[in-house]
């Protein structure tokens, strides 16, 4: 629920920011409608900007005056909008060595997700053991950690609405024999021991894995050029 409100706030912030670049009242009207819709009456302070005390037209005049204030108040939320959901994605040594970095990155990019951190690293075996700590009882754990630490890994953080769950869809099932065609593993890998890519499997692991692989200063918050075309309510 809170994330829904959060996303609504983010969308409204974006709408307010883009509308603030125009002085036309009709845009302001559309914008107010968008604000009312996305907030669903949950944040009184927004709707209060648009409540006319008399005729509808008086209401719109006052909303035009209040708009800049609303924009400034929501700029923080615009920043947070750029941080709505993040997941950790890594191209494992097999994917890097096979020259699949660009192919894999382009699938996330074309979807509309945003890259907010990236680096090429050779993890130590101890680091690999930390990353895969929840699998330490599995018979393949040692081989898996040896493999992850055997060469360069492209570590990334991707951001976007639903990116954790949908990132897993883009990746496909763990065993490439069972991954659907069209997924990264389905199209580009053959066996489970060389399935080329890792993706966080939920919000908690995403948070832990991002924290393990990146320091906070390595995560870059920015507004993507195409964001207003990727996100929007009609
Ligand atoms: P995923 O990578 O899809 O999240 P996982 O977390 O269950 O899958 O396992 C981590 C990695 O361990 C997986 O990408 C490949 C390897 N692995 C999983 N099951 C395996 C198995 N039965 N034999 C060999 N390696 C396996
Ligand atoms: Mg996993």
């Amino acid at each position: 629920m809170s994330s829904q409100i959060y996303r609504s706030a983010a969308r409204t912030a974006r709408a307010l920011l883009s509308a603030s670049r125009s002085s036309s009242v009709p845009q302001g009207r559309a914008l107010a409608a968008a604000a009312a819709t996305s907030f669903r009456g949950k944040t009184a302070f927004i709707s209060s900007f648009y409540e006319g005390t008399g005729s509808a037209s008086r209401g719109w005049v006052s909303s035009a005056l209040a708009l800049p204030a609303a924009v400034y108040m929501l700029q923080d939320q615009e920043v947070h909008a750029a941080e709505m959901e993040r997941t950790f994605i890594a191209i494992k040594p097999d994917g890097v060595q096979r020259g699949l970095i660009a192919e894999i990155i382009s699938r996330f990019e074309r979807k509309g997700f945003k890259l907010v951190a990236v680096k090429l690293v050779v993890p130590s075996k101890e680091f690999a053991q930390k990353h895969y700590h929840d699998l330490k009882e599995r018979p393949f754990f040692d081989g898996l950690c040896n493999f992850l630490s055997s060469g360069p890994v492209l570590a990334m953080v991707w951001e976007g609405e639903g990116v954790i769950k949908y990132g897993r869809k883009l990746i496909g099932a763990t065993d490439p024999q069972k991954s659907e065609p069209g997924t990264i593993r389905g199209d580009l890998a053959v066996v489970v021991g060389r399935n080329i890519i890792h993706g966080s499997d939920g919000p908690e692991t995403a948070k832990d894995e991002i924290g393990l692989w990146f320091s906070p200063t390595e995560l870059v918050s920015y507004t993507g050029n195409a964001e207003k075309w990727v996100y929007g309510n009609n």
Side-chain angles (χ1 to χ4, degrees):
M1 172 58 81
S2 68
S3 76
Q4 261 178 355
I5 295 170
Y6 190 64
R7 278 200 295 273
S8 293
R11 278 193 211 103
T12 306
R14 270 193 291 273
L16 285 168
L17 280 167
S18 64
S20 72
R21 288 168 197 134
S22 160
S23 58
S24 79
V25 171
Q27 262 218 1
R29 188 188 296 266
L31 157 69
T37 312
S38 32
F39 277 91
R40 291 187 197 95
K42 286 196 177 73
T43 45
F45 82 93
I46 295 290
S47 54
S48 70
F49 283 121
Y50 301 99
E51 278 166 7
T53 49
S55 74
S57 65
R58 264 212 310 269
W60 291 112
V61 169
S62 68
S63 75
L65 294 173
L67 192 56
V71 168
Y72 282 115
M73 288 171 75
L74 287 167
Q75 261 173 348
D76 262 357
Q77 283 163 317
E78 172 69 4
V79 170
H80 287 122
E83 294 170 3
M84 55 183 136
E85 186 176 310
R86 288 174 168 179
T87 192
F88 175 70
I89 302 289
I91 305 179
K92 299 184 203 178
D94 47 347
V96 173
Q97 295 292 350
R98 288 179 53 202
L100 295 172
I101 289 175
E103 166 74 36
I104 291 170
I105 284 183
S106 83
R107 291 181 181 220
F108 280 82
E109 262 185 337
R110 284 182 296 164
K111 170 73 177 165
F113 293 140
K114 185 165 73 180
L115 185 65
V116 295
V118 60
K119 64 183 172 189
L120 191 67
V121 287
V122 181
S124 66
K125 183 161 181 187
E126 293 67 37
F127 190 91
Q129 287 167 337
K130 273 189 203 160
H131 172 76
Y132 279 129
H133 66 92
D134 59 326
L135 296 173
K136 62 177 178 294
E137 309 301 336
R138 307 295 292 273
F140 54 83
F141 178 69
D142 195 54
L144 177 65
C145 295
N146 282 335
F147 173 61
L148 193 72
S149 57
S150 69
V153 170
L154 193 79
M156 297 176 278
V157 179
W158 285 88
E159 184 178 279
E161 200 163 310
V163 70
I164 299 173
K165 207 166 175 186
Y166 208 91
R168 295 281 297 191
K169 276 195 191 184
L170 289 177
I171 289 170
T174 302
D175 181 354
Q177 294 286 330
K178 297 181 181 140
S179 314
E180 293 297 323
T183 64
I184 291 166
R185 286 168 174 164
D187 289 349
L188 306 170
V190 182
V191 297
V192 72
R194 296 292 181 269
N195 64 6
I196 69 171
I197 181 166
H198 167 85
S200 306
D201 62 11
E204 282 308 307
T205 36
K207 192 165 167 282
D208 292 349
E209 290 172 359
I210 291 169
L212 177 65
W213 288 80
F214 289 96
S215 65
T217 55
E218 291 176 303
L219 305 169
V220 183
S221 292
Y222 62 100
T223 302
N225 262 340
E227 239 158 84
K228 64 181 175 183
W229 301 108
V230 174
Y231 297 100
N233 278 334
N234 295 323

